Amino acid sequence: MGDAETGTGTWDRGVGTRRLRAPWGRRSREAGWEPPDDWWTPAVDAVCEAFATGTDLAGPCARLGEARARSGVGIGQSLDDLAAFTALAGWRSPPIELVRAMAEGWADAGRGRETCQDPLTGLATQEYLRTRLGELYRGADGGPVPASGHRLAVVSLDPGLDPWRRAARLIVLGYELSRFFTRGESVCLIGRGRIGVVAAEADDLDPRLDELRRGIGWEHGAGVWSVALPPTHREALALVEGLGRPG
């Protein structure tokens, strides 16, 4: 795992689990951990022990993500806690391997292992989005296809973000968008910086997208726009492919 295995920080690995645990907990509490007295879990010691002995951190970070999810801690606060640990260990930003491990552990604790879900964000995959579009473009007795009554909303992060910040924001966005869209919409990962939502046309769709733009989108520096699904299935697939390209 490169740097995530050997570390690039200044912390002396010989200090042991206890002396690493205490400053880590203090940093997390100073950063706003809630509730302050409910930070420790056995998974914390597993992470500290792995770092102190120079062993692989991915497994312990996944365990920590699972423990945080089971105790009701949100993914955003869980990632902030990981950032407190990696800063203490000497990394300038959390290694993306450890971010992924924690996020996957957090997601797995709250759901089954459905193959149609992206393990990092918990969102439906682009493959699922293609399947959903195929369903919408099946005509009914030669009449208008259902796709004509749907729109693709896109939530896009700044492509200039560094990988850690982009991954962290994408994870949190995935969680928040899944709570925002609760009317049968398909919320899917298009690329590592974009999320697509297949939503039925409705009188309140534009006001809801405005609310999303001013709220969750603004908080995470994400653009929000929507397009009508194109006339043909082939054009729809080309649209998704284009949106999934980096940048």
Side-chain angles (χ1 to χ4, degrees), residues 193-218:
R194 284 178 176 162
I195 296 170
V197 183
V198 178
E201 287 285 3
D203 291 340
D204 66 342
L205 181 57
D206 283 325
R208 291 183 71 211
L209 293 178
D210 285 340
E211 177 186 351
L212 178 63
R213 189 176 296 110
R214 294 192 304 266
I216 295 171
W218 183 86

Side-chain angles (χ1 to χ4, degrees), residues 152-170:
L152 180 67
V154 181
V155 181
S156 180
L157 289 169
D158 181 353
L161 288 171
D162 65 70
W164 145 247
R165 293 185 184 278
R166 185 172 62 250
R169 291 190 188 182
L170 193 64

Side-chain angles (χ1 to χ4, degrees), residues 83-167:
F85 165 75
T86 55
L88 181 67
W91 281 290
R92 287 182 296 179
S93 61
I96 193 65
E97 299 95 331
L98 303 188
V99 173
R100 176 179 289 275
M102 166 167 270
E104 289 179 354
W106 189 93
D108 286 343
R111 61 171 173 83
R113 296 179 178 272
E114 298 92 342
T115 57
C116 64
Q117 284 186 296
D118 172 68
L120 183 63
T121 62
L123 294 171
T125 61
Q126 189 178 122
E127 289 75 17
Y128 175 84
L129 176 57
R130 294 193 188 101
T131 299
R132 179 70 180 123
L133 289 173
E135 294 171 344
L136 290 174
Y137 278 91
R138 291 181 192 145
D141 299 326
V145 295
S148 61
H150 289 73
R151 206 186 305 180
L152 180 67
V154 181
V155 181
S156 180
L157 289 169
D158 181 353
L161 288 171
D162 65 70
W164 145 247
R165 293 185 184 278
R166 185 172 62 250

Side-chain angles (χ1 to χ4, degrees), residues 6-148:
T6 61
T8 57
T10 58
W11 188 271
D12 180 359
R13 292 185 185 277
V15 299
T17 297
R18 291 186 179 180
R19 289 184 59 193
L20 180 57
R21 178 208 301 148
W24 178 10
R26 183 168 58 252
R27 283 185 179 224
S28 281
R29 293 182 185 99
E30 289 172 351
W33 181 271
E34 290 292 343
D37 296 332
D38 193 24
W39 174 80
W40 183 83
T41 169
V44 164
D45 283 359
V47 173
C48 293
E49 179 66 20
F51 182 78
T53 58
T55 54
D56 185 21
L57 280 164
C61 284
R63 285 178 54 193
L64 182 61
E66 293 173 2
R68 295 308 190 203
R70 291 193 186 103
S71 63
V73 176
I75 186 62
Q77 185 167 243
S78 298
L79 289 170
D80 287 343
D81 182 48
L82 177 64
F85 165 75
T86 55
L88 181 67
W91 281 290
R92 287 182 296 179
S93 61
I96 193 65
E97 299 95 331
L98 303 188
V99 173
R100 176 179 289 275
M102 166 167 270
E104 289 179 354
W106 189 93
D108 286 343
R111 61 171 173 83
R113 296 179 178 272
E114 298 92 342
T115 57
C116 64
Q117 284 186 296
D118 172 68
L120 183 63
T121 62
L123 294 171
T125 61
Q126 189 178 122
E127 289 75 17
Y128 175 84
L129 176 57
R130 294 193 188 101
T131 299
R132 179 70 180 123
L133 289 173
E135 294 171 344
L136 290 174
Y137 278 91
R138 291 181 192 145
D141 299 326
V145 295
S148 61

